[in-house]
Amino acid sequence: MNKVWNYLNFVTEELQDPYKNLPRAIYISLPLVTVVYVLTNVAYFTVLSVPEVLTTEAVAVTFGVRILGVMAWTMPFFVACSTFGGVNGGIFASSRLFFVGARQGHLPDCLAMINIKNITPLPSLIFVGLLSCLMCTTSDVYSLINYTSFIESSFIALSVSALLFLRYKQPNLKRPIKVNLIFPIVFLLICVFLIILPLYSSPMETGIGVVITLTGIPVYFLLIWPKRKPSCIENTIVYFTHSTQKLLRCVGETHKRTD
C-alpha cells in the first residue's frame, strides 16, 4: 500500500478523470499510510524493548506472539496478504511501463500488444514475470535490493530533474496536474540521498548495477535507434511479434485515449 501513490502514475490512462483522481488518491494515501506506519512503530516499541526489536528476525511476528497469544498466527498471515497486495500492485504497474515503452518504440513491438479477451497487456505481464524469475536466481537478496533501488532512484531523480528544468525553461506550458515546487524539490533531495548512500555503503553492488544498466546503450543503438535495421533482425522481430499475437491472442492498439 505504501507505493500505491507511485504505481498510480504508471496507469493514468486507465484512471477515470485522472487529472482529478490521481492527485486526490495521492493526497489521501500518503497521510493515511504515514499515520498507520507511525502508529505501528509506536505499538512495537510500546510492547517490545529496543534490544528485542534489534535482535528479532521479524518484529511483527514477535509482537504478535507477545500480544495475540494463540492467535499470533494471524500476524504473519496478514503480513503475507500485505506482501501479496504490494506485489500485485507492482506487477500491475510495471507491465504498463513496458507496454508504453514498446508503444513508443523503445522495446519490441510484441510488448505493446493487448489481449483481445481481457483487454490487458498480456505480453508485458509475462515479460515482467520472466524478469522476476530471472532475478530470483540470485541467492543474495540484499545485493539485488541494492541493484534495483539504486538504479530506480537514479532514474527517478533524472525524471524529476527534467520536470524541474521544464518548469524553469517553459513556465507557461500547459500542465493538467501542477503542484508547488517545494514537493518535487524535497522528493529530488530524497532521491539524491538514496543514490549517494548506496555508493558509500555498497560501492561494488551499485557499480555492478550501473554496468548492467549501461549494457542497454549498445542494444538501443543497434536495435532501436536505426530506422532501417538489417533484414535478418527485422524478420526476426516481425516473426516474434506475429507468433506472440497468435499464441496470446493479442493485437496492437487501434486508437489512443484522449481524455
Side-chain angles (χ1 to χ4, degrees), residues 128-205:
V128 171
L130 293 176
L131 285 180
S132 301
C133 293
L134 180 63
M135 292 180 182
C136 288
T137 57
T138 179
S139 59
D140 191 351
V141 66
Y142 295 105
S143 296
L144 181 61
I145 292 173
N146 285 332
Y147 295 152
T148 56
S149 62
F150 174 77
I151 298 302
E152 181 182 24
S153 299
S154 300
F155 280 96
I156 290 176
L158 290 173
S159 301
V160 176
S161 300
L163 291 175
L164 291 173
F165 177 77
L166 290 175
R167 285 285 291 268
Y168 172 73
K169 296 294 291 185
Q170 302 181 25
N172 298 322
L173 192 68
K174 181 180 178 182
R175 293 177 172 87
I177 301 176
K178 188 175 181 180
V179 298
N180 191 289
L181 281 176
I182 188 64
F183 295 108
I185 290 175
V186 171
F187 186 63
L188 177 61
L189 293 176
I190 295 174
C191 290
V192 171
F193 172 78
L194 294 176
I195 295 172
I196 295 176
L197 182 61
L199 284 173
Y200 174 78
S201 60
S202 306
M204 180 64 69
E205 286 83 356

Side-chain angles (χ1 to χ4, degrees), residues 36-147:
V36 171
Y37 272 44
V38 170
L39 292 178
T40 300
N41 282 276
V42 169
Y44 288 160
F45 283 102
T46 301
V47 175
L48 304 175
S49 64
V50 174
E52 287 177 315
V53 173
L54 294 175
T55 57
T56 182
E57 294 185 356
V59 177
V61 174
T62 305
F63 174 83
V65 171
R66 183 72 59 82
I67 294 297
L68 302 176
V70 295
M71 297 298 293
W73 61 269
T74 59
M75 186 62 71
F77 173 77
F78 284 113
V79 170
C81 291
S82 177
T83 304
F84 181 80
V87 171
N88 178 68
I91 294 174
F92 176 77
S94 300
S95 62
R96 271 62 179 178
L97 181 65
F98 289 109
F99 170 76
V100 173
R103 190 173 63 187
Q104 298 295 329
H106 299 297
L107 290 170
D109 293 337
C110 61
L111 296 180
M113 301 291 173
I114 298 177
N115 180 261
I116 59 176
K117 180 180 179 180
N118 299 314
I119 319 299
T120 55
L122 185 57
S124 293
L125 285 166
I126 295 176
F127 183 68
V128 171
L130 293 176
L131 285 180
S132 301
C133 293
L134 180 63
M135 292 180 182
C136 288
T137 57
T138 179
S139 59
D140 191 351
V141 66
Y142 295 105
S143 296
L144 181 61
I145 292 173
N146 285 332
Y147 295 152

Side-chain angles (χ1 to χ4, degrees), residues 8-9 12 15 17-24 26-27 163 167 173-180 184:
L8 285 175
N9 294 278
T12 52
L15 293 177
D17 195 3
Y19 300 148
K20 180 182 297 184
N21 290 327
L22 178 61
R24 184 181 298 168
I26 294 174
Y27 295 151
L163 291 175
R167 285 285 291 268
L173 192 68
K174 181 180 178 182
R175 293 177 172 87
I177 301 176
K178 188 175 181 180
V179 298
N180 191 289

